[in-house]
Amino acid sequence: QVQLVESGGGLVQGGGSLRLSCAASGRTFSSYRMAWFRQAPGKEREFVAAITWSGSSTYYADSVKGRFTISRDNANNRVYLQMNSLKPDDTAVYYCAASSSGSITFREIPRGYAYWGQGTQVTVSS
């Protein structure tokens, strides 16, 4: 099992940057595939980025490629999402998620992840 707590959200102007952090607890943290999802009001939860247990492979939604970077520091039990060139459309609650599955089929959908943080609000102004 793993417990996740996000932080780092806030208000930022368009074009600005923000770094989200996810603090994880659990002895097997390094064995989990980690991901970030986001959910805007009235919309479905949307895949943002994922990273393999080793950190050797990353995956991004087309909407954030070239702007966001996911990384992990297993020694520090942390996962990060560096968000650059932010746009108003990036406004959402951002969630950290963890999965013990290596399935490709469920990598980018919420049902593929058993563990979730509480979310952190990101608001991007015009």
Side-chain angles (χ1 to χ4, degrees):
Q1 297 184 21
V2 63
Q3 294 76 47
L4 307 173
V5 180
E6 303 97 333
S7 62
L11 175 64
V12 64
Q13 293 187 12
S17 297
L18 204 62
R19 189 176 78 157
L20 305 184
S21 297
C22 176
S25 62
R27 293 184 178 182
T28 60
F29 170 75
S30 63
S31 298
Y32 287 82
R33 180 170 67 202
M34 305 297 296
W36 289 94
F37 288 77
R38 66 187 183 186
Q39 187 167 21
K43 295 187 178 296
E44 296 294 318
R45 193 162 297 187
E46 175 189 24
F47 171 78
V48 176
I51 187 167
T52 57
W53 67 269
S54 66
S56 61
S57 297
T58 57
Y59 309 89
Y60 297 94
D62 289 341
S63 60
V64 305
K65 284 182 178 178
R67 299 189 298 121
F68 292 8
T69 302
I70 187 172
S71 61
R72 68 188 299 165
D73 181 354
N74 290 342
N76 201 37
N77 294 327
R78 288 269 180 172
V79 180
Y80 304 97
L81 185 68
Q82 179 65 47
M83 309 165 69
N84 298 327
S85 302
L86 283 163
K87 306 173 181 179
D89 285 347
D90 295 319
T91 296
V93 177
Y94 283 70
Y95 297 91
C96 180
S99 175
S100 60
S101 174
S103 172
I104 297 175
T105 302
F106 301 110
R107 185 177 62 209
E108 300 179 3
I109 59 176
R111 66 182 298 180
Y113 295 83
Y115 306 101
W116 295 83
Q118 83 287 353
T120 185
Q121 176 70 47
V122 173
T123 302
V124 185
S125 63
S126 299

